[in-house]
């Protein structure tokens, strides 16, 4: 029986041989016991697809196609991985869904939430699972931070979230990368890096949408108008509580940039404790990631130190975070496949992606309007 | 010869027995070899002054006064330490300067920069040294960060500064502390904690004043109108450079609050490296303080980690930072005393305090005006 005939095995079709696709293939290689394989690789150029297959040492059983269409026509393909430039997501994600292929879509998922809604509707109406490629959500560290934040005694009420997602791109990137080409990816650093910061802030806020967002004026664009660096604040209005001492508004701030040295800070301050991560989206080490947790610290007597030291919590991971993401995705796909569609798609993933996209759109609108306040729910 | 007759010894007069005064006395006790002593303690109540002297085990040689005036009249007092409520700073700092006493003034130094200017003018015209009580500036860690930031290869151009200064005050604080009483300290958390954040941001920016500041809308006041929590952004406009890829504006953000768990984060991101400190104003440990420094990090191949790990730089200190501050202050005072005023006051300290105050005033004005943009140079 061929792998693709076994209902419990999941064959991936790759649509586009972007740089990140090699990372995807490596992650799949960790999942052979979970019966997840790369079934097909498609590029607009057959030579490029062949070269990719060879360079990534994919087995000879992998189908190699010189078009994206052929990947979607392959009955052995259960799900597609789509690392295409953002502007191509709508077309190919919808086509994949219509061919009943489950969709693992790289971030930023769409040019705007209207396009994303079309993709999600295509997935929904065709009964296929949607998931965006935000890997860190699948790292066990993320669960650990959720545990910490759910402890009223050691963390408490959310006070502030601050996130940075930056790296210093080189000359080659600024000249050739798809992320700075408006015809391929209109969102630039906001889409590529801001996606992480906005997603992290929303996750920390329990996916409650902010009331409004406001870009800060440190926006940099390249000559083609693509955002290379920007910052924004997000506000959540809260009902004023009795006594007047409670915070009627919670804020979050973020900064994303192709023009600064590598940083992936996430700082979450609560009323009783705080959590810091320095490498959110891509941990420094692959096998373990750390959290700095400071529960209930006070100044020592005379204010000559702290009575509680920030503690380092290390969270090992059995698999790289992208393999965990693919495993989670394919577990859902497998249930759907085995049950012949009776087992419904997991609603969490198609629900959180548009929230991130709505806030991202709002920040972009604020930037385009000269850093005005944009009410998120009006987008 | 009495201590105060020895020109090289410096006698401090304490004006007010606030909680922080005990910390001051402890710091002075580290400086006996440097011939720095507490000469006199003054309170509005003689009993309170006596009780303070006893509780802090000050030697019997210390003069104990039931008024502030008597401290200023004591010829053995070379310099005063003023931990009074902010609203009393103008009166007592000016009186001290007029009595030719050097002035070590607790932060926040004044209600506004107009008052501070009067204090500084009194110090200048009377030839006495002024220094504010910002202790962290004197910690050797601060020099180490300056060294790191001056390295163009491993740090580069400043991209972003973010600072938090928060602690969770208790019920007793909200009911009785001078920092939440408008008749004593009108600046609340902005003066007490924001002073640290604003000072740190200015220090990181080489004391270049921002072009403008803007408070964020998460302002909380108590029923008497005192600020308990607030945030702001600071902007530096830069001349647009050729090519359009350079950042025309640098931003900094800060959050200060009596309503959140203890945090003293300072994050400084440069074009080539970044620096983080988690305990800026009061280090977790008294004898050593750490910096997290990340020079020239890039993603590892395939983006499965970082090629450079953030490194922890530990900076030991021979003395507590407040003792280093007092030693630096009294070294200047001693030079002035020995030279009979020929050796001029150190201009650095009276120059940086009003810069912090101007930005603080601007943030307060922004808050009072409903979070409008305030151009710093117009304050």
């Amino acid at each position: 029986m061929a792998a693709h005939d076994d209902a419990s095995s999941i064959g991936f079709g790759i649509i586009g041989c972007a740089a990140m696709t090699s990372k995807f293939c490596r992650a799949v290689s960790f999942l052979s016991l979970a019966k997840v394989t790369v079934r097909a690789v498609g590029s607009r150029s057959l030579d490029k697809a062949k070269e990719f297959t060879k360079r990534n040492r994919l087995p000879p059983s992998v189908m190699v196609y010189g078009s994206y269409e052929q990947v979607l026509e392959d009955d052995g393909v259960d799900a597609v991985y789509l690392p295409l430039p953002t502007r191509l997501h709508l077309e190919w994600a919808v086509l994949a869904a219509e061919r009943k292929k489950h969709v693992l879509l790289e971030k930023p998922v769409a040019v705007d939430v209207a396009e994303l809604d079309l993709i999600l509707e295509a997935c929904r109406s065709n009964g296929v699972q949607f998931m965006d490629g935000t890997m860190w959500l699948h790292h066990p560290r993320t669960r650990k931070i959720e545990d910490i934040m759910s402890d009223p005694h050691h963390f408490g009420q959310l006070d502030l979230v601050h996130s940075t997602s930056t790296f210093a791109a080189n000359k080659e990137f600024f000249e050739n990368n798809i992320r700075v080409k408006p015809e391929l990816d209109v969102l630039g650093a906001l889409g590529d890096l801001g996606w992480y910061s906005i997603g992290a802030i929303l996750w920390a806020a329990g996916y409650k949408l902010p009331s409004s967002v406001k870009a800060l004026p440190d926006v940099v664009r390249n000559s083609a108008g693509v955002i290379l660096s920007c910052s924004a604040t997000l506000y959540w209005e809260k009902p004023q509580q009795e006594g007047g001492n409670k915070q009627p508004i919670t804020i979050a701030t973020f900064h994303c940039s192709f023009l600064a040295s590598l940083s992936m800070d996430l700082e979450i301050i609560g009323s009783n404790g705080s959590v810091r991560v320095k490498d959110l989206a891509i941990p420094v080490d692959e096998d373990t990631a750390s959290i700095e947790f400071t529960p209930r610290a006070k100044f020592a007597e005379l204010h000559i130190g702290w009575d509680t030291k920030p503690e380092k919590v290390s969270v090992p991971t059995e698999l790289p975070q992208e393999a965990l993401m693919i495993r989670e995705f394919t577990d859902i796909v497998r249930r759907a496949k085995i049950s012949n569609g009776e087992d419904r798609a997991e609603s969490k993933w198609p629900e959180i992606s548009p929230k991130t996209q709505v806030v991202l759109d709002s920040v972009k609108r604020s930037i385009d309007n000269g850093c005005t306040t944009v009410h998120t729910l009006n987008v």
Side-chain angles (χ1 to χ4, degrees), chain A:
Chain A
M1 187 166 71
H4 64 274
D5 294 324
D6 174 359
S8 71
S9 80
I10 303 299
F12 261 106
I14 289 171
I15 296 195
C17 300
M20 281 302 96
T21 313
S22 294
K23 184 174 182 177
F24 175 83
C25 290
R26 175 177 180 271
V28 167
S29 74
F30 288 99
L31 298 172
S32 55
L33 283 179
K35 295 190 182 172
V36 178
T37 55
V38 172
R39 156 73 186 188
V41 173
S43 171
R44 282 170 302 177
S45 141
L46 183 59
D47 284 346
K48 205 174 155 196
K50 280 181 176 165
E51 197 275 323
F52 176 88
T53 308
K54 190 176 162 193
R55 194 174 68 243
N56 289 278
R57 295 196 194 83
L58 295 177
S61 58
V62 170
M63 305 300 292
V64 184
Y65 298 123
S67 76
Y68 303 153
E69 288 86 351
Q70 286 169 286
V71 177
L72 299 185
E73 283 161 12
D74 187 327
D75 287 339
V77 169
D78 299 297
V80 292
Y81 172 65
L82 273 171
L84 295 172
T86 312
R87 282 213 188 265
L88 301 178
H89 284 190
L90 175 62
E91 177 183 0
W92 290 101
V94 168
L95 279 173
E98 287 172 354
R99 294 296 183 108
K100 313 294 182 195
K101 310 301 188 193
H102 301 269
V103 176
L104 180 58
L105 187 58
E106 263 306 339
K107 36 71 44 182
V109 289
V111 166
D112 57 32
V113 78
E115 284 201 357
L116 177 55
D117 282 345
L118 292 173
I119 292 170
L120 294 172
E121 175 52 27
C123 290
R124 198 200 55 74
S125 61
N126 287 288
V128 297
Q129 179 67 40
F130 171 90
M131 185 184 279
D132 78 51
T134 308
M135 304 165 298
W136 67 267
L137 284 168
H138 304 268
H139 197 289
R141 172 170 71 176
T142 304
R143 291 296 89 67
K144 181 66 189 170
I145 301 174
E146 288 171 357
D147 288 349
I148 289 171
M149 290 181 66
S150 69
D151 181 339
H153 187 69
H154 293 106
F155 182 81
Q157 294 294 309
L158 184 64
D159 178 62
L160 181 84
V161 189
H162 173 72
S163 166
T164 67
S165 300
T166 65
F167 69 81
N170 58 20
K171 194 158 173 282
E172 200 276 330
F173 179 98
F174 288 121
E175 284 171 3
N176 300 318
N177 196 279
I178 60 170
R179 287 170 279 181
V180 294
K181 304 276 183 194
E183 67 279 16
L184 297 171
D185 187 341
V186 72
L187 298 169
L190 178 61
D192 185 45
L193 298 170
W195 179 271
Y196 291 126
S197 284
I198 292 168
I201 290 168
L202 286 175
W203 164 77
Y207 289 106
K208 192 178 171 205
L209 279 180
S211 336
S212 58
V213 309
K214 193 170 190 314
L216 300 179
D218 62 334
V219 184
V220 184
R221 298 176 187 263
N222 67 9
S223 54
V226 174
I227 295 164
L228 303 181
S229 181
C230 66
S231 305
T233 51
L234 285 66
Y235 309 132
W236 288 260
E237 281 170 31
K238 291 192 286 192
Q240 179 81 48
Q241 309 217 351
E242 247 182 279
N245 277 7
K246 297 288 168 190
Q247 210 118 328
I249 292 181
T250 301
I251 65 158
T253 53
F254 77 86
H255 177 60
C256 58
S257 180
F258 293 144
L259 303 169
S261 62
L262 181 55
S263 78
M264 299 196 144
D265 285 294
L266 179 64
E267 174 195 38
I268 313 175
I269 301 181
S271 50
N272 295 326
S274 57
V275 179
R276 282 159 196 80
V277 158
K278 62 189 158 211
D279 51 359
L280 181 77
I282 299 179
V284 171
D285 295 307
E286 197 176 39
D287 57 351
T288 188
S290 71
I291 303 163
E292 191 183 278
F293 174 38
T294 310
R296 302 190 73 79
K298 303 238 178 297
F299 291 123
E301 211 189 325
L302 285 185
H303 288 207
I304 58 171
W306 298 25
D307 69 349
T308 302
K309 296 189 190 207
E311 55 189 72
K312 182 179 168 181
V313 180
S314 289
V315 184
T317 179
E318 48 161 339
L319 287 173
Q321 59 179 359
E322 50 275 13
L324 293 174
M325 174 180 77
I326 296 166
R327 191 173 70 181
E328 182 145 4
F329 177 72
T330 51
D331 282 351
I332 306 167
V333 170
R334 184 176 295 110
R335 288 201 301 275
K337 191 177 174 186
I338 290 171
S339 70
N340 235 329
E342 288 295 301
D343 199 330
R344 296 299 197 85
E346 170 65 60
S347 64
K348 176 186 173 184
W349 306 108
E351 276 168 19
I352 64 175
S353 307
K355 290 189 174 182
T356 304
Q357 186 79 48
V358 159
V359 173
L360 201 154
D361 289 4
S362 303
V363 173
K364 178 142 195 309
R365 183 175 294 188
S366 177
I367 291 171
D368 290 343
N369 292 349
C371 301
T372 51
T373 297
V374 172
H375 297 281
T376 311
L377 298 175
N378 296 343
V379 170

